[in-house]
Amino acid sequence: ADVQVLSRIVKHVVEEARELDIEEIISCIENVSIGEVPTDPGFTNYGKIESVQTENYIAHEGVVTFDIRFELCIKDLRIKLIINVEAQKSTDVGSLHYHLENRIVYYLSRLISSQKNREFVKSDYDSIKKVYSIWLCMDASEDEDSIHKIRLTNETVYGKPVVLKELDKMCAVVIRLRKNSSIGDSKDILISMLEELLSNKDKEEKKQNLIIKYGMKMTTQMERRLNIMCNYSDIVEERGIEKGIEQGKEEQKRELIQHMYARGYSIESIADLLNITIEEVSLLK
């Protein structure tokens, strides 16, 4: 949820922001609370993004928890976009027990329907804001790194074609990252940056690559988050969580869940990483 990472994702996959530079994109992010703001000169807005509404509730439909949700308001173009970013460890149907594309369509639909009485009222459907749901899928093979867009299209079945100008309100982006950290840089700069960020390389090597290759500013907060990422596997091992889960030790599970939740992991992400149910996470967090 670091603004430097999110702004680069937006730069490369959100069409409306493609001509903006990173600093302009950062300035367009609105309706979020910025936590742990750096005090270094020029770095005031380089903090962590925490959405004010990551949970979306609709009566009789339950709650959907988005990993990250924020708004991008491009003032000069008078555009407001609602953007959701999700991290997905696996896309395998056997592991998920559903097809990921169905979940993506569902999330897009919720991002649209939840605008009722917030972005538009009654039948003012022209006030609906465009939504993006961006998925970082981290299980691609060595030659499968790719970026895909999913959107509504218009097909004329009979008669004269008609241009539907407003058929652009939903767009999903699936970014497939390779799971082998020893492979070379991707030819796509966004994928290359994300794979570098999520790799298990030495912390100092990763930090230098992010600065030199991808122009990131290494704030105290960014460096601290890199430390957390690099030490995550050690945290799991030190706390004996795998053994604790196997033996049903609720206290050990609760400790890790609370630790992960405090670090900003969503309930769904925790459930996915620990291979337990969302309900169990909710009870223990």
Side-chain angles (χ1 to χ4, degrees):
D2 193 279
V3 71
Q4 291 196 70
V5 177
L6 289 179
S7 61
R8 283 162 173 79
I9 294 173
V10 167
K11 167 75 174 176
H12 289 277
V13 303
V14 175
E15 297 170 0
E16 293 81 358
R18 191 161 292 168
E19 300 303 318
L20 303 179
D21 60 34
I22 296 299
E23 298 294 335
E24 288 175 318
I25 293 173
I26 291 173
S27 70
C28 290
I29 295 174
E30 294 187 359
N31 286 338
V32 295
S33 61
I34 306 297
E36 303 168 295
V37 180
T39 57
D40 307 57
F43 291 158
T44 303
N45 290 325
Y46 280 88
K48 176 183 177 182
I49 285 186
E50 295 176 350
S51 171
V52 293
Q53 288 187 350
T54 55
E55 286 192 349
N56 174 231
Y57 175 78
I58 296 178
H60 311 300
E61 292 186 25
V63 175
V64 169
T65 302
F66 300 107
D67 281 357
I68 305 168
R69 185 166 122 181
F70 60 99
E71 294 177 356
L72 191 74
C73 299
I74 306 177
K75 298 179 179 65
D76 292 344
L77 300 178
R78 297 182 180 274
I79 294 175
K80 180 178 179 181
L81 307 171
I82 299 172
I83 300 176
N84 156 240
V85 179
E86 299 284 332
Q88 186 71 22
K89 181 180 67 174
S90 173
T91 60
D92 179 63
V93 177
S95 300
L96 296 175
H97 306 297
Y98 61 82
H99 290 81
L100 183 62
E101 54 268 33
N102 288 330
R103 183 178 174 189
I104 291 173
V105 170
Y106 180 65
Y107 274 43
L108 284 172
S109 301
R110 291 295 288 267
L111 287 168
I112 289 289
S113 64
S114 65
Q115 294 182 46
K116 180 73 170 177
N117 296 323
R118 183 163 56 90
E119 300 294 343
F120 72 98
V121 295
K122 296 183 179 180
S123 59
D124 183 23
Y125 296 110
D126 280 354
S127 294
I128 292 175
K129 303 301 184 290
K130 183 175 180 178
V131 300
Y132 278 85
S133 188
I134 302 170
W135 293 72
L136 309 181
C137 300
M138 296 172 276
D139 62 348
S141 299
E142 291 189 13
D143 59 348
E144 292 180 340
D145 54 316
S146 55
I147 300 176
H148 308 271
K149 286 193 173 182
I150 304 169
R151 66 183 86 203
L152 295 175
T153 59
N154 174 37
E155 177 184 356
T156 301
V157 177
Y158 168 77
K160 186 177 180 180
V162 175
V163 177
L164 302 177
K165 296 180 180 179
E166 295 295 313
L167 203 66
D168 67 342
K169 290 296 183 287
M170 298 194 298
C171 181
V173 181
V174 179
I175 303 172
R176 302 194 65 206
L177 307 177
R178 296 168 295 180
K179 54 190 174 183
N180 186 351
S181 61
S182 65
I183 54 182
D185 293 345
S186 171
K187 294 181 181 179
D188 181 86
I189 188 170
L190 175 62
I191 292 177
S192 182
M193 183 273 289
L194 291 171
E195 289 181 341
E196 179 75 42
L197 186 71
L198 299 172
S199 72
N200 58 2
K201 292 180 181 178
D202 174 76
K203 181 189 68 176
E204 290 302 318
E205 178 186 359
K206 182 186 294 190
K207 184 171 72 173
Q208 290 304 312
N209 285 342
L210 291 173
I211 294 171
I212 296 170
K213 290 184 178 181
Y214 308 108
M216 287 195 177
K217 299 178 181 180
M218 199 52 56
T219 66
T220 302
Q221 283 70 22
M222 170 67 88
E223 188 163 5
R224 180 178 61 81
R225 291 174 195 132
L226 285 176
N227 286 337
I228 292 170
M229 290 176 63
C230 291
N231 294 334
Y232 178 71
S233 59
D234 293 336
I235 291 172
V236 173
E237 184 176 352
E238 287 169 8
R239 292 171 179 262
I241 298 305
E242 291 183 2
K243 181 180 178 182
I245 290 176
E246 290 173 1
Q247 297 177 353
K249 295 182 179 178
E250 295 300 308
E251 287 304 316
Q252 288 183 302
K253 279 198 289 186
R254 180 180 288 107
E255 185 181 1
L256 178 58
I257 288 169
Q258 291 174 348
H259 178 82
M260 294 174 70
Y261 192 74
R263 294 295 188 188
Y265 286 83
S266 71
I267 293 175
E268 289 183 339
S269 296
I270 296 172
D272 183 45
L273 286 167
L274 300 184
N275 194 29
I276 58 179
T277 67
I278 292 174
E279 290 75 16
E280 190 172 1
V281 175
S282 300
L283 286 173
L284 297 176
K285 76 178 180 63

